[in-house]
Structure formats: structure tokens, C-alpha cells
């Protein structure tokens, strides 16, 4: 409202809506709000990494999604969240490659707990329990304690360590 030409604000709004949708508020209205905010950010500054990430959230194909996200890291190689989002996208079909993107994101921002949690889940699916436990030990945020504990319990169950899982 204070500055209708601030691309960063529209990109931030798009990211907030995207996260809200991931948590369950996925309605046609929310999707339209996401698209509108992303498109406005991109229209204002097509080279803003956050605007490209926002456009990636709304792209109709995986190819287009990854093109936007790739442009975000090309413009700003230190943009940790873009690497995380690329990892989330490719984890759908290439778990091994996604690990490299999660690790790149963590190399930039060691405190990015959501990234570490997604890495933990990927390592768990790949039956790399010891590696997952090492990464889980680095998760510090209280907001992620329950998900960290649940993933570690699943690793223990998958390794037939029921007592440890309990």
C-alpha cells in the first residue's frame, strides 16, 4: 500500500501465500492471489531473484518452474532459498540430485532449518540414516522439533530399532 512499485514486497507476498498454500489453504482464490503477486513482482523487476522464485511457484510446467528458479540463482548465487526450492522441485523425480541443491543452500545459510528438515526427509527416503541423523543434529529451531523427532523415529523404525523409535 505504501509503495505499489516495490517488487520485493510483491515477491514476499507471493512467498507468504505459497507457504500458506503448502500448509493447507490451497483454494482457487489463494492461487489467483499468488499468481497476481508473483506476476506483479516479475513485471516490476524481472531480474529480482525473489520475483523469479515467485514466478516459479506459479509456472504451469516443471520446465518453466526450474527456468525461473535457475534465473534466480544465476542473478544471485548466494540466494539460499532458490537452491532449496530447486531441490524441492527435483526431489519429485531425482532424490540424489536434490541432495546437492539442499547442501548448496546449507553452505550458504547453515541456519536454514526448513532446508535441513527437507534434506533429512530425503536422506531418510534413500535409507541414509546415519547421514540423516548427523544433519538432524544441526536442526536448532523449536518450530521443527516435532518434525525432526518424527523423521528420526521413522529412520529407527525403518532400521528395525523399535525401542529407539519409541
Amino acid at each position: 500500500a505504501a509503495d505499489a512499485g516495490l517488487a520485493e514486497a510483491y515477491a514476499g507476498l507471493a512467498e507468504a501465500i505459497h507457504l500458506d498454500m503448502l500448509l493447507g489453504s490451497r483454494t482457487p482464490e489463494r492461487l489467483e492471489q499468488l499468481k497476481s503477486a508473483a506476476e506483479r513482482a516479475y513485471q516490476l523487476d524481472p531480474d529480482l531473484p525473489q520475483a523469479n522464485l515467485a514466478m516459479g511457484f506459479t509456472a504451469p510446467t516443471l520446465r518453466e518452474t526450474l527456468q525461473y528458479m535457475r534465473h534466480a540463482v544465476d542473478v544471485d548465487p548466494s540466494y539460499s532459498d532458490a537452491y532449496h526450492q530447486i531441490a524441492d522441485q527435483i526431489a519429485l523425480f531425482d532424490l540424489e540430485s536434490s541432495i546437492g541443491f539442499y547442501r548448496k543452500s546449507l553452505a550458504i545459510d547453515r541456519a536454514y532449518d526448513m532446508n535441513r528438515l527437507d534434506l533429512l526427509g530425503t536422506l531418510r527416503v534413500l535409507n541414509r540414516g546415519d547421514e540423516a541423523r548427523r544433519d538432524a543434529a544441526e536442526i536448532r529451531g523449536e518450530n521443527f522439533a516435532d518434525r525432526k523427532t518424527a523423521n528420526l523415529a521413522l529412520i529407527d523404525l525403518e532400521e528395525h530399532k523399535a525401542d529407539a523409535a519409541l
Side-chain angles (χ1 to χ4, degrees):
D3 184 352
L6 187 60
E8 291 88 347
Y10 284 101
L13 177 60
E15 184 175 359
I17 293 168
H18 172 71
L19 290 172
D20 186 48
M21 290 174 65
L22 288 176
L23 296 172
S25 297
R26 190 168 185 85
T27 64
E29 294 81 20
R30 285 307 265 169
L31 182 57
E32 190 53 43
Q33 291 171 338
L34 172 61
K35 286 180 181 180
S36 178
E39 288 169 359
R40 181 67 177 142
Y42 190 78
Q43 178 184 49
L44 290 168
D45 188 350
D47 284 326
L48 179 69
Q50 294 83 354
N52 278 273
L53 193 62
M55 288 298 292
F57 295 148
T58 68
T61 67
L62 179 60
R63 179 185 184 98
E64 290 173 79
T65 295
L66 292 174
Q67 285 174 334
Y68 282 116
M69 292 179 179
R70 173 61 189 250
H71 186 67
V73 297
D74 284 346
V75 171
D76 182 0
S78 69
Y79 187 28
S80 176
D81 196 34
Y83 291 102
H84 176 198
Q85 295 300 331
I86 291 169
D88 283 353
Q89 295 299 315
I90 65 173
L92 300 171
F93 60 89
D94 188 350
L95 289 170
E96 283 293 338
S97 292
S98 71
I99 290 171
F101 285 96
Y102 287 129
R103 293 224 180 274
K104 175 70 175 173
S105 178
L106 285 169
I108 295 166
D109 182 358
R110 300 283 313 155
Y112 192 177
D113 279 346
M114 186 65 225
N115 182 48
R116 197 172 299 281
L117 189 65
D118 287 345
L119 173 61
L120 169 61
T122 302
L123 292 170
R124 183 184 60 77
V125 169
L126 290 171
N127 297 314
R128 291 164 60 175
D130 290 339
E131 192 176 346
R133 284 185 187 89
R134 284 192 300 275
D135 278 291
E138 299 294 320
I139 296 173
R140 304 282 185 238
E142 292 294 320
N143 295 335
F144 301 107
D146 289 345
R147 291 178 63 192
K148 171 184 168 180
T149 301
N151 271 283
L152 291 173
L154 287 170
I155 291 168
D156 288 334
L157 285 174
E158 290 160 356
E159 293 177 352
H160 307 289
K161 299 174 184 173
D163 289 339
L166 291 173

